[in-house]
Amino acid sequence: MAEYIPEFSFRDKAHTDHLTIRNILNHTSGLVPHAYDNLIEANVPFEKIIDRLQELPSCCSVGKCYGYQNAFYSLIAEVIRSATGEEYSSLLSARILQPLGMNTVSFSKKKFISLNNYASPHEKVDHRLIPVTPKGTYYSTTAASGLNASIQDMAQWLLAMLGNKEDVIPVSVIDEVCKPLIKTPQELYKYNWKNRLKSIHYGMGWRIFNYAGHNLVYHSGNVCGYFAAMAFLPEHNTGIVVLQNSRIYNRYVYAFLDMYLDIWQGDPQSYLK
């Protein structure tokens, strides 16, 4: 990575020298998980967060352990700017979003709330979900979590990840980012719906599961009163996207998978309760 961001360095020079772009994308930088997410929440400028990250000691060697990141993952935007001379959002729009017809995607709170039909986020207060004002904190880490998209947009992204938009995203690229690179057994408890998971890995921006014997590619996330999840079965050319304006846990993805694979147990409606 030093080729693109020579000014970035960890406390340990050897750690810096071994860091690659792939380590950023598959969360194997050697940092503790979610390093300085609290500073993102506190609306600290991204540049200052990166300065702080350089001071952190490593918890393992580069590439040897998995630790999910938001702030550090967003360094990929700096790599892209250095390599191309273009901003991450501009390049993403020109090369992927516009060609795929993802026409309502935006990268700011201002653009998001300018829409007449945006969904207000909801947070639980005193056991009730109440609408809250959208926050702008995570737009400072655009590459990790600062993108607004509609369900129509995400349907186009799902089609692309299933290999149906090869003129925009070649299947070779999809195969590369969905390749299992690092085991994440510590997350089995979080995603092991009805003990379906036989293995769990991380690729580059995707989780790769053996789900009841089937190859499943998955990711989800929740910030500031919103939740999103996307899952697809490459060999079946099918998948699902769920967007909701609350962070309440739901089983829609797993209910869909079990029904599609015909492995559901009992009343399907009970999955959604």
Side-chain angles (χ1 to χ4, degrees), residues 65-128:
C65 66
Y66 165 86
Y68 194 87
Q69 307 294 330
N70 283 302
F72 194 78
Y73 190 93
S74 290
L75 266 180
I76 198 65
E78 303 301 315
V79 171
I80 288 172
R81 181 187 294 115
S82 174
T84 68
E86 297 186 50
E87 294 296 321
Y88 170 80
S89 56
S90 299
L91 198 66
L92 182 64
S93 294
R95 294 196 181 183
I96 296 179
L97 303 178
Q98 292 174 11
L100 288 180
M102 298 175 67
N103 298 319
T104 60
V105 170
S106 61
F107 300 89
S108 70
K109 175 184 172 181
K110 181 179 179 180
K111 183 69 174 179
F112 176 62
I113 64 177
S114 70
L115 301 174
N116 292 326
N117 64 341
Y118 78 87
S120 296
H122 286 67
E123 295 282 7
K124 183 174 282 190
V125 178
D126 295 330
H127 306 290
R128 294 187 304 116

Side-chain angles (χ1 to χ4, degrees), residues 204-261:
M204 287 189 283
W206 288 105
R207 301 187 188 280
I208 296 89
F209 299 158
N210 178 325
Y211 187 85
H214 300 269
N215 181 35
L216 174 68
V217 183
Y218 175 85
H219 217 291
S220 64
N222 63 84
V223 294
C224 305
Y226 292 103
F227 171 86
M230 178 169 161
F232 58 96
L233 299 157
E235 288 78 15
H236 294 260
N237 194 35
T238 193
I240 183 173
V241 177
V242 174
L243 302 180
Q244 64 184 50
N245 55 336
S246 76
R247 293 189 284 184
I248 297 297
Y249 173 78
N250 72 64
R251 302 184 178 94
Y252 299 126
V253 169
Y254 301 113
F256 166 80
L257 292 170
D258 281 12
M259 291 177 197
Y260 175 81
L261 295 170

